Structure formats: C-alpha cells, structure tokens
Amino acid sequence: MGNVAVELKIMPKSIETDIIKIKEEISKKMKIQDSKIEPVAFGLKALRILVIVPDKENEDIESKIKNIKGVSEVETESVTLV
C-alpha cells in the first residue's frame, strides 16, 4: 500500500503530567511531523501530533502511545492517505 498521515490527540493523566516528556517519548517510537499543545480545561492541556506511517502500522500507533507513562487517552482524529 502506501503511507498514511495520522493526526492524534493525546491526553495526559493530570495537569501535573509533563506533556513535553510525553512528546519526547513518542518521538523515540515514531517520527513526529507536526505537534502542538492546546488547552482543554482547568489547566489541562492536550498534545496533538501528526505522524506519517506505513498503512499497515496505523492500527498499532494508539497502543504504542497508550503504553507511555503519563498518557491517559489517545484518540485518532484523522487518517489520510499520503
């Protein structure tokens, strides 16, 4: 097949969780094309990332990120064929 661009929204476990460390851990597992931190509510911030992976690896991304310490939830926002 080809590659897909996957946009993910990652929520930390609490407002004390260092979201920059989460981003660093993700970048050790996959190449982040783009990222931004956006406020959610009451001091909680979400990390949005864009990664490009082979089509077959798309399903494993969420589970890889969920295993990172400090990550509460991972949601796939969009998947686009590149």
Side-chain angles (χ1 to χ4, degrees), residues 29-63:
K29 298 177 185 284
M30 60 195 74
K31 185 175 180 187
I32 298 174
Q33 300 295 321
D34 190 25
S35 69
K36 62 181 172 181
I37 297 171
E38 58 185 35
V40 178
F42 305 108
L44 187 64
K45 296 178 182 178
L47 174 63
R48 288 189 176 270
I49 62 169
L50 177 70
V51 295
I52 297 177
V53 295
D55 192 20
K56 295 178 183 178
E57 292 181 23
N58 180 29
E59 297 154 2
D60 297 334
I61 295 173
E62 282 189 26
S63 62

Side-chain angles (χ1 to χ4, degrees), residues 7-82:
E7 185 178 349
L8 299 152
K9 181 178 179 180
I10 297 119
M11 298 296 295
K13 288 190 177 183
S14 71
I15 58 174
E16 288 86 25
T17 304
D18 188 353
I19 206 156
I20 301 299
K21 285 187 179 180
I22 291 174
K23 180 182 171 189
E24 290 170 358
E25 289 299 314
I26 294 170
S27 66
K28 291 177 185 177
K29 298 177 185 284
M30 60 195 74
K31 185 175 180 187
I32 298 174
Q33 300 295 321
D34 190 25
S35 69
K36 62 181 172 181
I37 297 171
E38 58 185 35
V40 178
F42 305 108
L44 187 64
K45 296 178 182 178
L47 174 63
R48 288 189 176 270
I49 62 169
L50 177 70
V51 295
I52 297 177
V53 295
D55 192 20
K56 295 178 183 178
E57 292 181 23
N58 180 29
E59 297 154 2
D60 297 334
I61 295 173
E62 282 189 26
S63 62
K64 286 180 183 178
I65 295 173
K66 283 181 185 177
N67 290 329
I68 295 173
K69 183 180 178 184
V71 173
S72 173
E73 295 178 37
V74 179
E75 182 179 335
T76 300
E77 296 282 308
S78 68
V79 179
T80 306
L81 191 62
V82 181

